[in-house]
Amino acid sequence: MVVGWVAGLAVVLGIAGGAGEVCADTTWVSGRVAGEWTREGNPYIVVDSTWVAEGDTLRVGPSVKVIFSEETGLSIWGVLEGNGREEDSIAIRVTEGTSHWKGIKYYGVGETVWKYLKAICPDTVFAFAERYSARFWNTTLDAYRPLAGDSRYGIRNCNLFISQCQMRSRSHWVTSGGALSATRSTFDFSLDESDEPGFWSDAATFSMVRCTVIGRLGARQLFADSCRILQTPHGRRIGVGFNSGRITTSYVQGGVSASSLYGQDMILISNNIIEGSLGLLGLANVYGCEIGDILDLYSCRTVVVRNSVINGSLRIFRADTVIVDSCRIGPGTVSAAFASEISIMRSVLVGKIGAVAYDQNEHALFDHNTIIRYADSTYWGTPANQQIHWSNNIFINNSPSRSVFSGPSLPAEFNYNCVWGFDYAGGSPNGRRFELEEFDTTNLIANPMIQWEENMPLLMFNSPCIDRGSPTSPLDPDGTRSDIG
């Protein structure tokens, strides 16, 4: 099966306690090996059980080609490392027709370093015992699983450093404990046909800078900056999931889910484009993001959302404190149920299914917003005996709905707002109807005179909302009284 590599007369060469059979251009390898493999011995063909014993070192140099036969591998109790060069990389392959090999397995506790390596193999390329450390620079690993643990439980408590590498995998990775640090690298799971291709961890820390993941990315603790998380060609948009950490200046083709287990670790989501939903649980700060679907806040301790675009709905359920400031939300629904403190300020709310609905909230504030309603039959509810404050908002109706509010009463505090396009202030289907004139006299029933620039409403110079906001609101940047909206 490897006869084609043989040329010339064979001689026997001792290799640090083991043996290799060297031909003019072939080195047959088996047994205990150590020392250095150089290009002069190319190719190195592993034909039987091979190992680096404890206390021994084997170094693989530039341009070395290592070929493994069927069912062979390399077991490391000592030290094995590879040091290729940009123009002279190391190559690891299997013989033609090989469907299974045992990979390179590291035992004990130690550290290995590989530079400029290209390995294209079935099964697993590198397998590490618990608490092992490995560093890879400018390496390409293409296998069923490029990196794995030495058991079915995956990579356990290992520290992996990956820089400027290409990792192509046909199966997901699982890690537990330890840390993964990656820079300018690609993790490609596009050939994995499972429902959730990708890699994740229940206890490890992932730190990734300028990386691309084609598949799912999940970690207990994640720090991702300037990354791209993409869907596989045949998979669904999976996205990112983590318990604590941050994701910044990144693009996620799917959604993001972040849940602080104990509500103490801060979740930071900033300056990202997220095509799917963003789901948060715990303590979170979101700013400068574009979210393609729903922002879902469930049982959150405190969440602050600033300067973001939500191209869908905002759902709040059982949250302690939620602050939404200077955002654009919709077309979609803004809803809040069983939440304690909600403040939505200086934002644009566009309702397609509904605009603002709430139920059993202790305190809610809607201040200096522009609310565009496109709903046919939904409404803004006004539950009795709840502290809902509406001030300095513009309400524009672009739907058949005729009432601003629906319910047994008008909100207790509705001041310095501008209402346009509605026939009535409110009323329930079988109860009393409230006229617009029943609003507080600080409110305007007038066309707000707005113009749109890049999906943002701006007041025209002759708008009646200019300098008509609440006198208690902060002054505008030019020192004048605040505007409505």
Side-chain angles (χ1 to χ4, degrees):
M1 57 184 170
V2 293
V3 174
W5 291 102
V6 180
L9 181 65
V11 296
V12 177
L13 174 68
I15 304 180
E21 187 179 341
V22 179
C23 299
D25 57 359
T26 301
T27 303
W28 305 91
V29 180
S30 65
R32 181 178 176 180
V33 293
E36 184 174 0
W37 289 355
T38 64
R39 73 182 73 192
E40 288 74 19
N42 279 338
Y44 292 79
I45 302 180
V46 180
V47 295
D48 203 347
S49 299
T50 307
W51 66 90
V52 177
E54 184 176 0
D56 288 349
T57 297
L58 174 62
R59 291 185 173 88
V60 181
S63 295
V64 168
K65 296 177 175 60
V66 184
I67 302 174
F68 288 84
S69 304
E70 183 82 29
E71 294 292 343
T72 62
L74 188 55
S75 300
I76 314 301
W77 282 273
V79 175
L80 170 65
E81 57 187 24
N83 189 15
R85 292 195 293 259
E86 183 174 6
E87 65 280 8
D88 298 305
S89 60
I90 300 167
I92 294 179
R93 301 287 189 273
V94 295
T95 55
E96 185 176 355
T98 293
S99 60
H100 178 69
W101 76 308
K102 298 179 181 179
I104 300 173
K105 296 184 178 181
Y106 288 85
Y107 297 94
V109 179
E111 181 177 4
T112 186
V113 177
W114 287 86
K115 298 179 181 179
Y116 292 100
L117 164 67
K118 293 183 179 179
I120 302 177
C121 305
D123 302 311
T124 298
V125 181
F126 290 98
F128 300 104
E130 188 171 358
R131 297 187 301 278
Y132 218 92
S133 296
R135 295 176 176 269
F136 296 93
W137 277 275
N138 300 93
T139 289
T140 296
L141 302 182
D142 188 337
Y144 181 78
R145 191 170 293 151
L147 305 177
D150 62 350
S151 69
R152 63 186 179 89
Y153 298 106
I155 303 171
R156 305 184 68 185
N157 298 313
C158 293
N159 294 320
L160 306 175
F161 177 86
I162 299 172
S163 178
Q164 302 183 70
C165 294
Q166 300 284 327
M167 301 287 178
R168 302 189 185 103
S169 179
R170 293 161 182 78
S171 175
H172 64 269
W173 299 8
V174 178
T175 66
S176 178
L180 167 68
S181 298
T183 59
R184 299 180 182 273
S185 296
T186 297
F187 302 86
D188 185 354
F189 297 88
S190 59
L191 295 179
D192 182 1
E193 297 182 357
S194 65
D195 290 337
E196 293 194 358
F199 62 147
W200 59 91
S201 168
D202 60 356
T205 297
F206 287 3
S207 299
M208 311 185 79
V209 179
R210 298 185 181 277
C211 291
T212 297
V213 178
I214 305 175
R216 178 179 183 238
L217 172 61
R220 180 171 182 177
Q221 189 171 43
L222 173 67
F223 300 94
D225 180 59
S226 303
C227 294
R228 297 191 310 153
I229 293 81
L230 310 177
Q231 70 182 82
T232 59
H234 52 270
R236 56 190 176 86
R237 297 190 305 176
I238 299 169
V240 181
F242 62 100
N243 294 129
S244 65
R246 65 176 183 266
I247 175 170
T248 60
T249 325
S250 296
Y251 169 67
V252 182
Q253 208 163 32
V256 174
S257 175
S259 57
S260 178
L261 293 177
Y262 305 104
Q264 298 175 350
D265 297 322
M266 170 63 75
I267 300 166
L268 175 63
I269 314 286
S270 70
N271 300 313
N272 303 294
I273 297 176
I274 302 170
E275 287 195 359
S277 300
L278 172 60
L280 299 174
L281 185 154
L283 188 67
N285 193 344
V286 180
Y287 64 87
C289 292
E290 181 174 347
I291 302 164
D293 205 339
I294 298 171
L295 173 55
D296 204 345
L297 311 179
Y298 181 86
S299 297
C300 291
R301 180 180 172 188
T302 300
V303 176
V304 179
V305 185
R306 299 186 191 274
N307 303 316
S308 296
V309 175
I310 303 167
N311 295 306
S313 298
L314 169 62
R315 300 190 304 202
I316 306 168
F317 186 78
R318 296 190 186 279
D320 289 344
T321 302
V322 176
I323 298 173
V324 178
D325 188 2
S326 303
C327 295
R328 187 185 188 281
I329 304 173
T333 303
V334 176
S335 63
F338 305 100
S340 298
E341 299 284 337
I342 304 169
S343 297
I344 301 180
M345 305 172 292
R346 292 179 286 272
S347 297
V348 178
L349 314 180
V350 180
K352 182 178 181 182
I353 301 172
V356 179
Y358 42 82
D359 180 35
Q360 301 186 29
N361 302 304
E362 294 182 11
H363 182 273
L365 170 67
F366 297 88
D367 184 64
H368 283 290
N369 302 296
T370 297
I371 302 170
I372 315 296
R373 181 171 173 183
Y374 284 98
D376 291 336
S377 59
T378 53
Y379 58 89
W380 296 290
T382 57
N385 303 320
Q386 294 182 23
Q387 299 179 358
I388 311 298
H389 305 275
W390 300 89
S391 59
N392 306 293
N393 302 288
I394 294 175
F395 294 84
I396 299 176
N397 185 33
N398 287 333
S399 80
S401 299
R402 305 174 67 185
S403 298
V404 182
F405 295 100
S406 179
S409 62
L410 293 180
E413 292 194 22
F414 190 81
N415 304 311
Y416 298 96
N417 300 287
C418 178
V419 177
W420 181 247
F422 296 90
D423 294 329
Y424 311 109
S428 58
N430 300 317
R432 179 191 170 200
R433 188 179 70 190
F434 298 94
E435 303 297 331
L436 293 172
E437 290 74 16
E438 296 187 52
F439 280 138
D440 188 282
T441 56
T442 60
N443 298 289
L444 297 176
I445 312 299
N447 187 339
M449 304 293 290
I450 64 173
Q451 61 184 3
W452 292 85
E453 290 189 10
E454 296 183 355
N455 295 322
M456 295 301 293
L458 302 178
L459 296 178
M460 300 174 67
F461 74 95
N462 56 345
S463 170
C465 297
I466 294 177
D467 298 337
R468 290 293 298 271
S470 172
T472 60
S473 296
L475 298 177
D476 282 345
D478 62 0
T480 60
R481 180 174 167 177
S482 70
D483 301 332
I484 296 176

